Amino acid sequence: MTVLTILNAPGTEIPDLLTDLGDRDGIELRIAEAETLSRALPGTDVLLMWDFFSTALRDAYASADRLTWVHAAAAGVDSLLFDELVDSPVTVTNARGTFDRPIAEFVLNYILMHAKSSIGSLADQREQKWNRRSTRDVAGSKAMIVGTGAIGREVARLLKAVDIEVTGAGSHARGGDADFGDVIDSSTLADHVGGYDWVIDIAPLTERTDRLIGSEVFAAMDDTAVFINVGRGDTVDTDALVAALRGKEIAGAGLDVFDEEPLPADHPLWGFDDVIITPHMSGDTRGWRMRLAEQFHRLFERYLAGEEFPHTVDKKLGYVR
């Protein structure tokens, strides 16, 4: 008997594709929420984190006596990587591949909105103002992409398709990368961000990337550059970002993630005319939850067949290699 537990968020629907697994011979399905997870974990072999932002597993982990695999229905797994799980033999997988293209398109949207002065045009439209002006070329501009995983690579490919020159920043410097050409060590980001029009953060949250982008990096950016974050809010020093925007050290931002979510109504980031704020939705195109369910279903079939997964998270690094 394989016991599958799905951790769900209150009020969130679980697709039939997943709940129907409980009707199969040899599978026991348990549905839990954060407050009941510790009671569901004893005997559980597989845990699906359908409530992908939850930190409940950390508190309930002592009850996991048979757990072999945890799947996060999200790209980021930072909320899962507490010491006990990292040091255990439990395999962790994530939603690698599911969000690559939607997030890349979102990044391109941010770039186009800034380059083509769409923020100002929408403001003028609301005031019925005819304000004809020149805008920026996208072709020939330069982007620094911080984070060279699957999503960062899809961002690079899409931006190159509109003739944006891309460079990557990752965990170590290297040359000859198929998508980025040259990759710099992200720890030296401040030494390299000058001269770029777009600095795009898609880095995973790890000890190494926590507050990676702060006052030193913003000061080194061109004052015509735009900062974009579709990765993790905690990779950015938000106070430093606010100061950079106030001091006109950078030209604007496109922000989908924040170190506090929802972003408080009185937060100063709401007050900037040159900042686009979206509510952590860059990967959420229509049908995204079903795509996540289909991915887990495929992985679960491999698990039952004793086959290796196509990808696993390196728990020490905090991301898929």
Side-chain angles (χ1 to χ4, degrees):
M1 175 70 70
T2 297
V3 179
L4 165 63
T5 295
I6 300 177
L7 177 64
N8 196 34
T12 301
E13 184 178 354
I14 302 174
D16 293 343
L17 180 67
L18 299 179
T19 57
D20 287 350
L21 290 171
D23 298 330
R24 291 169 53 172
D25 291 340
I27 299 174
E28 178 187 339
L29 177 65
R30 302 174 183 174
I31 307 294
E33 294 183 359
E35 64 272 15
T36 61
L37 182 60
S38 60
R39 298 197 295 272
L41 278 178
T44 293
D45 301 286
V46 178
L47 175 63
L48 167 59
M49 300 289 294
W50 195 245
D51 184 2
F52 38 81
F53 289 133
S54 175
T55 59
L57 181 58
R58 181 192 302 266
D59 297 330
Y61 191 71
S63 301
D65 56 357
R66 210 171 77 183
L67 193 62
T68 60
W69 171 36
V70 176
H71 177 75
V77 293
D78 44 276
S79 62
L80 277 176
L81 298 182
F82 50 93
D83 291 344
E84 294 86 352
L85 183 60
V86 170
D87 295 336
S88 77
V90 176
T91 297
V92 175
T93 55
N94 69 345
R96 181 181 176 88
T98 304
F99 299 111
D100 298 1
R101 185 68 179 200
I103 292 178
E105 291 176 357
F106 219 85
V107 169
L108 180 58
N109 174 61
Y110 278 148
I111 289 174
L112 290 172
M113 287 190 71
H114 276 285
K116 302 308 176 185
S117 192
S118 296
I119 305 172
S121 294
L122 289 170
D124 289 342
Q125 179 180 330
R126 285 190 291 270
E127 297 180 9
Q128 300 173 345
K129 183 188 298 183
W130 188 265
N131 181 21
R132 191 166 183 264
R133 60 205 183 280
S134 299
T135 62
R136 297 171 63 179
D137 287 322
V138 168
S141 64
K142 298 174 64 177
M144 171 68 76
I145 301 173
V146 185
T148 56
I151 298 175
R153 291 183 179 279
E154 188 65 20
V155 171
R157 289 190 284 265
L158 186 58
L159 297 192
K160 287 196 292 186
V162 293
D163 295 324
I164 296 176
E165 180 183 335
V166 301
T167 301
S171 58
H172 61 279
R174 58 194 183 274
D177 187 275
D179 295 307
F180 297 101
D182 291 331
V183 175
I184 67 162
D185 188 319
S186 60
S187 66
T188 65
L189 194 57
D191 297 329
H192 297 276
V193 289
Y196 286 88
D197 302 282
W198 322 103
V199 176
I200 301 158
D201 182 8
I202 188 58
L205 179 59
T206 66
E207 289 184 1
R208 194 172 186 269
T209 63
D210 186 38
R211 303 298 189 274
L212 172 68
I213 300 175
S215 57
E216 186 179 4
V217 172
F218 290 123
M221 289 171 59
D222 290 4
D223 59 10
T224 55
V226 170
F227 174 68
I228 292 170
N229 192 3
V230 289
R232 282 289 181 263
D234 286 325
T235 61
V236 178
D237 181 334
T238 303
D239 290 341
L241 171 59
V242 170
L245 289 163
R246 282 177 174 158
K248 302 297 182 182
E249 292 181 293
I250 60 175
L255 307 172
D256 190 52
V257 293
F258 306 87
D259 54 5
E260 183 179 0
E261 295 182 3
L263 187 67
D266 60 350
H267 199 283
L269 283 172
W270 290 110
F272 291 102
D273 292 337
D274 49 6
V275 174
I276 305 169
I277 291 174
T278 51
H280 205 145
M281 57 183 278
S282 60
D284 301 354
T285 53
R286 293 175 184 173
W288 66 280
R289 289 189 181 274
M290 183 53 67
R291 290 193 290 275
L292 289 173
E294 291 168 348
Q295 180 187 47
F296 176 76
H297 194 279
R298 291 192 299 270
L299 293 175
F300 190 63
E301 295 292 351
R302 296 180 74 105
Y303 174 85
L304 294 176
E307 299 174 0
E308 292 186 0
F309 296 126
H311 71 274
T312 60
V313 173
D314 185 318
K315 294 184 291 181
K316 297 291 186 182
L317 294 176
Y319 49 85
V320 178
R321 284 181 179 270

